[in-house]
Amino acid sequence: MAAPRRELRLPEGQRSASRKRGDPMSGGAILVLMGILFLVFGYMGVPVSFALIAGVLVATSFTPISMQSMIGQLFHGIDSEALLAVPFFLLVGE
């Protein structure tokens, strides 16, 4: 027989950090939103890189992750030499 589950309750007036901005969307709903935004921006003629960035930034506004953290991770990813090899390879071929 399983033990009864206990719920953690916060004192009155305090909310958890993930609930401050409202209930976050589920992971599947965020992926669908990103895909729809990518397709809409693609049909409008927006370049692929900007369409991807716009979809990600709009979708992350529905998550408990702060925008400052998201921008910091975006610039931190630029330092990856493996990720930079592909665009530089394409530039050399032109």
Side-chain angles (χ1 to χ4, degrees):
M1 181 161 71
R5 296 175 72 181
R6 293 182 2 174
E7 292 184 26
L8 178 66
R9 294 185 181 220
L10 294 173
E12 288 296 322
Q14 291 184 357
R15 303 175 90 191
S16 69
S18 65
R19 299 279 183 161
K20 285 185 180 179
R21 291 176 34 190
D23 292 334
M25 294 175 67
S26 68
I30 291 174
L31 286 174
V32 169
L33 176 66
M34 286 172 43
I36 290 171
L37 287 173
F38 173 69
L39 291 175
V40 167
F41 286 132
Y43 287 133
M44 289 178 13
V46 176
V48 172
S49 59
F50 293 118
L52 283 172
I53 290 173
V56 168
L57 290 178
V58 169
T60 53
S61 67
F62 294 106
T63 63
I65 300 170
S66 70
M67 214 36 98
Q68 291 85 4
S69 173
M70 203 36 92
I71 299 297
Q73 288 296 322
L74 190 130
F75 282 108
H76 180 69
I78 292 174
D79 294 335
S80 174
E81 294 171 358
L83 291 177
L84 287 175
V86 174
F88 287 147
F89 180 78
L90 294 174
L91 286 174
V92 168
E94 288 184 1

